[in-house]
Structures are given as C-alpha cells and as structure tokens.
Amino acid sequence: MATVSLTGAPKDAAAVFGLLRTAFPTDRPADDVPQEQSGDNSAVWSAEFEPTSERIPTDPISLEGSVSATLQGDYVTVDQLFEALSTAFAVDHWGAASGDQEKEVDLRLTTKR
C-alpha cells in the first residue's frame, strides 16, 4: 500500500488520480475528485493505492500545468506507481528518502512533449 499526495490545479490532480485508478485499487470512490479550495493556501489531495498485477496505462495524459506528487509506502508499490506515472507524464525527481521497509519519493509531473 502507498499514499499519493498531490498539489496543483484540481483538474490536473484529478487527471493524475484518474490515471492511477485505472491501474490500482484505491481507497477513494471514482466520484471523489479534487475540488477548488477557498483561501490562499495550496490544497493537498491524498489517496491510498494497492499494488496489482494489472496492466499499467501507457498513454500520455495532458496537464494544464504541473502537479507535485509525493509517493510514500512500501518499495514495490511506490515503484509501480512511479512506473505508471512515468508512462503518462514527464517526471522530474525532487527528492527521495528511504528506510528499511518504506520509501518516499517527491516528483513534479508535467505533460510529456
């Protein structure tokens, strides 16, 4: 199991979560999409995903801007989530931390050119 936390435009975050839902079971229903938040603070949306042997999507998805993503969980699941994201988006690594049984990866996702 891994947690994915996103910041960015709600429409772009919804696109990222939509892609991940096609490949991995999640704790969120399909109609639970990021909504615009009032105020000056950036919203963070999170969902948990479970590893699966299902096909990982390979079609690129367009984003209007960029999305910051943090993947946190066991090594296998984080790697599977990263693979799915890197097939659909241009991915820049911002940082990573790892422990005995868990790792965290910080990414910036944009549209593949």
Side-chain angles (χ1 to χ4, degrees), residues 28-29 32 41 65 71 93 101 103 112:
R28 305 288 179 169
D32 183 14
N41 296 328
L71 314 178
H93 284 265
Q101 311 219 352
K103 74 177 176 179
K112 278 190 172 185

Side-chain angles (χ1 to χ4, degrees), residues 14 17-18 21 26-34:
F17 281 142
R21 277 188 184 102
T26 182
D27 67 332
R28 305 288 179 169
D31 63 348
D32 183 14
V33 295

Side-chain angles (χ1 to χ4, degrees), residues 1-76:
M1 170 109 24
T3 300
V4 176
S5 300
L6 304 176
T7 59
K11 183 177 179 180
D12 289 342
V16 173
F17 281 142
L19 168 93
L20 293 174
R21 277 188 184 102
T22 64
F24 305 101
T26 182
D27 67 332
R28 305 288 179 169
D31 63 348
D32 183 14
V33 295
Q35 302 292 317
E36 194 70 44
Q37 302 294 314
S38 61
D40 295 333
N41 296 328
S42 295
V44 177
W45 299 284
S46 296
E48 291 187 348
F49 293 89
E50 193 69 43
T52 180
S53 59
E54 296 294 316
R55 176 188 165 277
I56 295 175
T58 57
D59 296 331
I61 295 176
S62 294
L63 299 174
E64 292 179 3
S66 65
V67 174
S68 296
T70 299
L71 314 178
Q72 182 180 21
D74 67 81
Y75 281 83
V76 170

Side-chain angles (χ1 to χ4, degrees), residues 84-98:
L85 292 171
S86 64
T87 62
F89 305 104
V91 178
D92 293 322
H93 284 265
W94 278 3
S98 57

